[in-house]
C-alpha cells in the first residue's frame, strides 16, 4: 500500500507552510509536473506492477507493488485527504459502511468490549449487533449526551469508543473533547463518524480522536454517483487500520477514486452553499405551522447548539424536523406531493432529499419519543425559493388529507 502520510507530491506539502482548508482541498495531492503538466492525476487502471530486476522484485523495492496496494490515482486522493484531515494517513474503502467496519475490526476482537453512541448510523449498529457480536465483541450503547460520564461505562476490556456528532437522524451533539479525555486517560481508542461535518467543519484529530471516518459517498463525491469510504488515523491506530484493510483484501476501483478526487476539489464551495441554504430552510421550516420543531445544531434553539458552536466551524445540509401530529396518510400525501425533493436513502449530493424515519425500535440507551412524524431532509444546491415552494405545496396537500 502506498504511504499516504508521505506528502511528497502535491503543492500542499512542499513549502512547509500551513495553508488554509480551501487551498488544501484544491492543491493537496496533485503534482502536474509529474504527469506532463496535466492538472488532474491520471486514472491508472491496473493490477500487475513490473519490476526492473530480480533484486527489486524479491525485496518489493518499488513505489507501487501491486494494484490493490495503491497507484498514483489512489495515492493522490489519500495525500489530499491526509492534508485535509490532519492525521498521519488515510485508507480508502469501497463504501462508508466498509470504512466503519474496517476501523472497528482494526481496534477490537474476541473478548473485547466497545462503547458505541446510541444515535449512531443504523448500519453501524447492525454490524455491532451482528457480525461483531458473532466474532465475540460485546457492544454497549451509550447516551449521546453522556459526556465525561462515559467513564462509568468503561470496563477492563473496553478497547474503543465510537462517536458520531451530530447523531444520525436525531442530531444530538456529543461532547467530543470530554469523551476523548476519558478515553485517553484509560488508553482506549476513539473513533468518530465525521460524515456530516467533514474535516472542513470539524477536524477530529485536532480534538484527540484517533480514527476519523467518512462516507465519501456523501460530501466528498457530492454528485450521487460514487460509493467510497475514508479512514483517517494517527499513530498506532493507523498501523492497525492498514493491517486490517490489507487482510480483508479490499480495494476501490480507480474510476471511483478519480470521481471522488474530482468531487473533493469543490468540497469547500459546495459545503458553503449547503450550509447557507440549509440554515435558511431550517429557519423557514421552524416557523411553519405544520412543524413542531427542527433538529439542527446550528440553530440557537437547538439543545446541542452550544457544543456545536464551541467545537465546529460550520454545518452541512442535513437536518431533521418533527411534524405536528397528523395521520400517516397525510404524511404519505406530503411525500408524494414533493417534486424537487427526492425520496432516497442517501445525502450529500447536489440534490435535495427527504425521508421519513423513526428511531424508536433501534435505541436502547435512550428513548426516542417525539410528538409527531419525523422527517430528515438534505438541502441540495437548488434555489431555496423553489425548495420552499415545493414544500409549501406538499404541506398544503398534507393538510387537505389530514382534514379528510
Amino acid at each position: 500500500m502506498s504511504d499516504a502520510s508521505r506528502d511528497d507530491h502535491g503543492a500542499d506539502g512542499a513549502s512547509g507552510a500551513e495553508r488554509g482548508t480551501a487551498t488544501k482541498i484544491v492543491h493537496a495531492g496533485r503534482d502536474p509536473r509529474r504527469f506532463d503538466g496535466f492538472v488532474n492525476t491520471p486514472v491508472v487502471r491496473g493490477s500487475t506492477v513490473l519490476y526492473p530486476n530480480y533484486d527489486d522484485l524479491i525485496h518489493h523495492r518499488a513505489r507501487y507493488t501491486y494494484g490493490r496496494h495503491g497507484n498514483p490515482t489512489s495515492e493522490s486522493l489519500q495525500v489530499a485527504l491526509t492534508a485535509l484531515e490532519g492525521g498521519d494517513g488515510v485508507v480508502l474503502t469501497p463504501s462508508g459502511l466498509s470504512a466503519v467496519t474496517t476501523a472497528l475490526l482494526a481496534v477490537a476482537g474476541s473478548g473485547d468490549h466497545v462503547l458505541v453512541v446510541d444515535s449512531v448510523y443504523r448500519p453501524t449498529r447492525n454490524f455491532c449487533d451482528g457480525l461483531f457480536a458473532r466474532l465475540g465483541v460485546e457492544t454497549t450503547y451509550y447516551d449521546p449526551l453522556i459526556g465525561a460520564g462515559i467513564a462509568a461505562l468503561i470496563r477492563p476490556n473496553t478497547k474503543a469508543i465510537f462517536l458520531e456528532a451530530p447523531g444520525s437522524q436525531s442530531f444530538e451533539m456529543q461532547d467530543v473533547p470530554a469523551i476523548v479525555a476519558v478515553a485517553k486517560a484509560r488508553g482506549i481508542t476513539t473513533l468518530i463518524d465525521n460524515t456530516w461535518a467533514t474535516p472542513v467543519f470539524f477536524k477530529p484529530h485536532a480534538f484527540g480522536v484517533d480514527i476519523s471516518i467518512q462516507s465519501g459517498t456523501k460530501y466528498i463525491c457530492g454528485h450521487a454517483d460514487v460509493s467510497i469510504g475514508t479512514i483517517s488515523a494517527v499513530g498506532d491506530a493507523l498501523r492497525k487500520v492498514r493491517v486490517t484493510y490489507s487482510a480483508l483484501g479490499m480495494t476501490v476501483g480507480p474510476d471511483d477514486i478519480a470521481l471522488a478526487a474530482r468531487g473533493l476539489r469543490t468540497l469547500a464551495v459546495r459545503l458553503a452553499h449547503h450550509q447557507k441554504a440549509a440554515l435558511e430552510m431550517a429557519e423557514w421550516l421552524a416557523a411553519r405551522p405544520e412543524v413542531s420543531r427542527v433538529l439542527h445544531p446550528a440553530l440557537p434553539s437547538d439543545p446541542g447548539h452550544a457544543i456545536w458552536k464551541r467545537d465546529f466551524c460550520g454545518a452541512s445540509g442535513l437536518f431533521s424536523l418533527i411534524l405536528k401530529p397528523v395521520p400517516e396518510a397525510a404524511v404519505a400525501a406530503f411525500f408524494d406531493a414533493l417534486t424537487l425533493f427526492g425520496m432516497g436513502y442517501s445525502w450529500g449530493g447536489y440534490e435535495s432529499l427527504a425521508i421519513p424515519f423513526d428511531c424508536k425500535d433501534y435505541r436502547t440507551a435512550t428513548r426516542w419519543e417525539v410528538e409527531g412524524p419525523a422527517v430528515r431532509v438534505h438541502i441540495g444546491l437548488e434555489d431555496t425559493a423553489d425548495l420552499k415552494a415545493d414544500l409549501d405545496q406538499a404541506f398544503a396537500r398534507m393538510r387537505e388529507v389530514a382534514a379528510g
Side-chain angles (χ1 to χ4, degrees):
M1 173 184 312
S2 60
D3 185 357
S5 65
R6 178 187 59 203
D7 198 351
D8 60 355
H9 72 289
D12 185 74
S15 68
E18 181 66 22
R19 293 178 172 174
T21 295
T23 303
K24 289 178 180 179
I25 287 172
V26 171
H27 289 278
R30 295 192 300 109
D31 187 2
R33 294 168 299 178
R34 186 180 169 198
F35 302 106
D36 300 309
F38 285 100
V39 169
N40 294 304
T41 303
V43 180
V44 176
R45 302 179 183 88
S47 56
T48 304
V49 176
L50 301 180
Y51 294 79
N53 55 60
Y54 174 82
D55 192 58
D56 285 344
L57 175 70
I58 63 173
H59 290 98
H60 304 288
R61 192 181 295 119
R63 182 165 187 153
Y64 310 106
T65 59
Y66 184 65
R68 181 166 54 82
H69 299 152
N71 62 36
T73 306
S74 60
E75 186 179 49
S76 175
L77 181 57
Q78 287 174 292
V79 170
L81 288 170
T82 298
L84 182 59
E85 293 268 13
D88 293 333
V90 166
V91 168
L92 306 176
T93 70
S95 68
L97 180 58
S98 66
V100 169
T101 58
T102 300
L104 284 169
L105 287 167
V107 299
S110 180
D112 291 338
H113 172 248
V114 297
L115 291 165
V116 176
V117 65
D118 203 32
S119 54
V120 76
Y121 175 55
R122 192 178 184 185
T124 300
R125 191 183 196 105
N126 292 342
F127 169 78
C128 291
D129 293 343
L131 180 58
F132 225 19
R134 294 202 301 274
L135 293 175
V137 180
E138 184 179 359
T139 301
T140 297
Y141 296 97
Y142 65 89
D143 187 334
L145 306 183
I146 199 170
I150 200 167
L153 300 180
I154 292 175
R155 304 175 186 175
N157 62 335
T158 302
K159 290 295 189 293
I161 299 175
F162 194 99
L163 305 93
E164 185 172 334
S168 184
Q169 297 183 327
S170 48
F171 291 89
E172 300 94 338
M173 286 301 304
Q174 291 193 257
D175 192 336
V176 175
I179 293 173
V180 169
V182 171
K184 285 193 175 299
R186 309 289 183 92
I188 296 170
T189 301
T190 50
L191 310 87
I192 189 168
D193 185 332
N194 193 40
T195 304
W196 182 84
T198 82
V200 175
F201 291 151
F202 181 69
K203 296 187 182 298
H205 296 315
F207 289 81
V209 177
D210 299 300
I211 299 175
S212 172
I213 300 162
Q214 290 185 80
S215 172
T217 307
K218 310 300 193 292
Y219 285 120
I220 290 177
C221 295
H223 292 79
D225 56 3
V226 179
S227 290
I228 193 169
T230 73
I231 309 171
S232 174
V234 296
D236 193 51
L238 177 61
R239 180 192 64 80
K240 292 178 180 178
V241 167
R242 283 177 168 165
V243 168
T244 303
Y245 171 85
S246 181
L248 291 172
M250 286 190 292
T251 189
V252 184
D255 295 284
D256 286 344
I257 294 173
L259 286 172
R262 184 177 68 173
L264 176 69
R265 303 306 177 184
T266 62
L267 177 62
V269 292
R270 285 187 288 106
L271 279 176
H273 184 96
H274 285 300
Q275 173 176 230
K276 181 181 178 182
L279 278 171
E280 179 184 336
M281 295 301 297
E283 291 168 351
W284 181 81
L285 283 163
R288 292 286 310 195
E290 303 89 353
V291 175
S292 176
R293 54 195 168 103
V294 173
L295 311 179
H296 191 317
L299 291 179
S301 58
D302 190 270
H305 179 72
I307 289 179
W308 171 83
K309 188 174 182 180
R310 183 193 69 190
D311 297 341
F312 288 60
C313 62
S316 64
L318 190 75
F319 63 93
S320 294
L321 53 135
I322 309 300
L323 300 174
K324 292 179 181 177
V326 290
E328 184 175 359
V331 176
F334 167 81
F335 278 97
D336 287 341
L338 293 170
T339 59
L340 294 180
F341 283 84
M343 287 182 284
Y345 291 98
S346 190
W347 46 278
Y350 56 82
E351 75 287 8
S352 291
L353 298 169
I355 59 166
F357 71 92
D358 186 351
C359 306
K360 181 173 57 178
D361 292 339
Y362 46 92
R363 292 292 181 89
T364 55
T366 55
R367 294 177 64 87
W368 173 251
E369 294 181 331
V370 291
E371 58 275 22
V375 179
R376 191 188 72 182
V377 296
H378 177 255
I379 305 302
L381 304 181
E382 303 94 338
D383 290 323
T384 53
D386 294 326
L387 296 178
K388 291 174 184 175
D390 191 30
L391 289 169
D392 188 57
Q393 61 86 25
F395 279 131
R397 178 60 184 152
M398 183 178 77
R399 292 194 304 271
E400 290 176 5
V401 173

